Amino acid sequence: MSTEPRVEVHDDPRVLATAVAGELLGRLADAQRAGRVPQVVLTGGTIAGHVHEAVAQLAPASEVDWSRVVLWWGDERFVAPDSEERNAGAARRAFVDAVGVPEEQVHEMPSTADADDVEAAAEAYAATFAAHGADELEVVMLGMGPDGHVASLFPGQAALAVEDRDVVAVPDSPKPPPQRVSLTFPALRRARAVWFLVSGEAKAGAVAQALGDAAVEQIPAVGVSGREETTWFIDREAASAV
Ligand SMILES: O=C(O)[C@H](O)[C@@H](O)[C@H](O)[C@H](O)COP(=O)(O)O
């Protein structure tokens, strides 16, 4: 069951990032009060980096018990573990290491040090994802590219049509680096809440198309909605064509 998107427009990227961080911390605390161990799917990208920094700033004043949070990634670049291009490394530096999520609850996607090739990396993550009960995702956060891609699901690529697996290898990403691992639509759609984080004029067209009647093959963001909530957290520039 998909949910109608709600749109929140904020003045600029920093205000947007702080708003998302506040919403995330509140949602994690609420989930824990309801007896759940919230599972969060993080994303890569610029605005996500600002959100992570805001989480680190706001976390000390929140009621979140980070020993009862589980982290996943929606996609990851298949590069060396210490590469600056790793989404997980950026998130760890920004907030994950600071808030102290137990290591066994931080599920990075494999790097070139963990798997022989990107296909093996995807298979390994699929096994971890299945074993640790990621059928109950609290919130999935997704950046979006100017072409409407989310995670590493790009327009016109075969991964868009995968309905029988939760994780795929993407050998030919048009956004460098080329080799990536990505969750698929079926996995992303199992989330209670899907949050799109989008900033900047360059994405205004994709935002308008995603909120309009674009086809998923053209704007992959169209293919994801949450079971309970779908929210677009965007800034004024990204909202300028809606
Ligand atoms: O690994 C990645 O590249 C990301 O997960 C990707 O999906 C990103 O979220 C969008 O491309 C937006 O990135 P920007 O916010 O940097 O434009």
Side-chain angles (χ1 to χ4, degrees), residues 25-240:
L25 293 168
R27 184 170 187 109
L28 296 182
D30 289 348
Q32 290 177 343
R33 275 190 288 271
R36 298 195 296 272
V37 177
Q39 309 212 46
V40 181
V41 177
L42 300 176
T43 185
T46 313
I47 189 64
H50 294 322
V51 170
H52 297 161
E53 290 162 4
V55 168
Q57 287 163 4
L58 299 176
S62 78
E63 294 176 25
V64 176
D65 172 359
W66 293 97
S67 70
R68 294 175 57 235
V69 172
V70 177
L71 298 178
W72 303 92
W73 271 266
D75 73 328
E76 184 59 277
R77 295 83 177 279
F78 187 61
V79 292
D82 59 352
S83 165
E84 284 297 311
E85 294 188 301
R86 288 277 292 176
N87 292 332
R92 280 183 180 278
R93 289 188 295 275
F95 85 99
V96 174
D97 291 346
V99 298
V101 179
E103 195 51 34
E104 64 273 19
Q105 292 163 212
V106 180
H107 298 296
E108 291 191 22
M109 289 181 161
S111 72
T112 51
D114 307 310
D116 292 338
D117 56 44
V118 68
E119 290 292 346
E123 284 165 22
Y125 204 67
T128 304
F129 201 59
H132 293 268
D135 54 358
E136 176 60 36
L137 301 176
E138 187 70 29
V139 53
V140 162
M141 292 190 285
L142 292 169
M144 184 183 73
D147 60 357
H149 81 258
V150 291
S152 286
L153 302 173
F154 291 92
Q157 290 207 337
L160 299 182
V162 172
E163 291 291 339
D164 62 346
R165 277 170 289 151
D166 282 345
V167 188
V168 288
V170 176
D172 51 355
S173 164
K175 175 181 180 182
Q179 292 199 321
R180 292 150 171 259
V181 176
S182 182
L183 296 189
T184 59
F185 284 142
L188 296 171
R189 289 170 187 153
R190 286 206 297 275
R192 288 170 178 262
V194 168
W195 295 353
F196 295 100
L197 320 176
V198 190
S199 163
E201 178 79 33
K203 300 172 183 188
V207 169
Q209 288 180 283
L211 294 172
D213 56 0
V216 65
E217 292 73 21
Q218 275 75 46
I219 301 286
V222 167
V224 189
S225 69
R227 291 187 294 114
E228 295 172 2
E229 172 194 335
T230 305
T231 302
W232 287 78
F233 292 96
I234 62 181
D235 64 12
R236 292 207 180 288
E237 287 192 357
S240 58

